[in-house]
Amino acid sequence: RKEVEQDPGPFNVPEGATVAFNCTYSNSASQSFFWYRQDCRKEPKLLMSVYSSGNEDGRFTAQLNRASQYISLLIRDSKLSDSATYLCVVHYNTNAGKSTFGDGTTLTVKP
Amino acid sequence: GAVVSQHPSRVICKSGTSVKIECRSLDFQATTMFWYRQFPKQSLMLMATSNEGSKATYEQGVEKDKFLINHASLTLSTLTVTSAHPEDSSFYICSAKFPGPENEQFFGPGTRLTVL
């Protein structure tokens, strides 16, 4: 079983739709959580950190459920520019400073 | 803030040559940097963790003699692909860990290596 698992998708949604991605992690000692987005042939870019209380940044809402060991990303009012691969990232301090990346969920927003 | 540069952005070289890629954190000091490789339509694969002033830690299956990493300063790590072969053609991306308890990584723009 992978340490971080994501539904690879692809998710194909119309503009304006709400879409949610989930990510599960296996290490209960995980301490930091992030969502990154990666556009085709580009580097990953930090979208948002995920906090225990949940956090929101405009149309994006991230939530963490430590008991069930999953994090989620909700995108409201999808835009064409939201089309990308979304990477779930988990970090725990004993892992030699490394973070563990999920394989990514691909989103395509269509007009 | 939190800008990471990577140079060159694209390299085309002949088989057998060595290629050096630089990764710089421009506005913060990074004691830890990471090197990844990504093949088309595949996931990021961590190659090694680069710590300033010490030897890099390589992931299983990554040849340390082929992929030489040097982290000589708090803002620069280099990856040298020695005696490159066509199967080394890939997208190489570095990241730098931002100082502080959050453990965010910021990525360079990547280097696309093509070995003929």
Side-chain angles (χ1 to χ4, degrees):
Chain A
R1 184 188 170 194
K2 292 184 178 179
E3 287 186 50
V4 177
E5 294 208 57
Q6 294 182 248
D7 180 347
F11 284 65
N12 297 307
V13 303
E15 265 187 297
T18 295
V19 61
F21 307 136
N22 286 330
C23 166
T24 59
Y25 59 95
S26 59
N27 191 325
S28 59
S30 299
Q31 295 167 291
S32 303
F33 308 88
F34 310 94
W35 284 102
Y36 282 75
R37 81 171 264 169
Q38 185 175 24
D39 292 284
C40 188
R41 299 173 69 83
K42 298 283 188 180
E43 77 278 19
K45 294 192 175 178
L46 179 64
L47 180 64
M48 56 199 304
S49 302
V50 188
Y51 302 114
S52 297
S53 54
N55 46 300
E56 189 173 303
D57 182 3
R59 297 181 294 109
F60 299 84
T61 301
Q63 293 198 309
L64 165 64
N65 185 318
R66 285 191 184 270
S68 301
Q69 293 182 203
Y70 79 82
I71 68 174
S72 64
L73 177 67
L74 181 77
I75 305 175
R76 290 182 299 278
D77 188 23
S78 300
K79 311 289 184 192
L80 296 177
S81 57
D82 294 333
S83 298
T85 297
Y86 291 83
L87 304 170
C88 168
V89 181
V90 173
H91 179 95
Y92 57 99
N93 288 342
T94 56
N95 192 22
K98 299 183 292 187
S99 295
T100 304
F101 283 71
D103 290 340
T105 298
T106 299
L107 171 66
T108 301
V109 181
K110 298 186 174 180
Chain B
V3 177
V4 177
S5 70
Q6 198 171 330
H7 178 81
S9 58
R10 182 180 290 270
V11 179
I12 300 174
C13 68
K14 291 183 180 179
S15 188
T17 58
S18 293
V19 176
K20 186 176 179 180
I21 304 170
E22 291 187 350
C23 178
R24 293 181 187 272
S25 56
L26 297 186
D27 51 0
F28 65 99
Q29 294 185 328
T31 54
T32 303
M33 292 185 175
F34 303 93
W35 287 97
Y36 296 84
R37 182 167 55 181
Q38 189 172 36
F39 293 106
K41 299 193 177 183
Q42 292 190 23
S43 311
L44 277 176
M45 188 192 83
L46 179 64
M47 299 175 67
T49 302
S50 169
N51 293 298
E52 187 266 338
S54 64
K55 290 184 180 179
T57 304
Y58 291 82
E59 295 300 299
Q60 194 171 9
V62 178
E63 298 175 58
K64 61 180 181 181
D65 294 330
K66 181 165 182 65
F67 298 100
L68 301 179
I69 292 172
N70 186 302
H71 194 152
S73 79
L74 288 171
T75 58
L76 173 63
S77 176
T78 60
L79 168 69
T80 301
V81 183
T82 61
S83 187
H85 290 282
E87 58 266 29
D88 298 323
S89 299
S90 187
F91 189 43
Y92 291 85
I93 318 174
C94 72
S95 72
K97 195 160 87 168
F98 195 78
E102 296 286 335
N103 299 303
E104 305 119 316
Q105 293 181 40
F106 291 93
F107 286 82
T111 296
R112 200 160 297 282
L113 172 64
T114 303
V115 186
L116 303 175

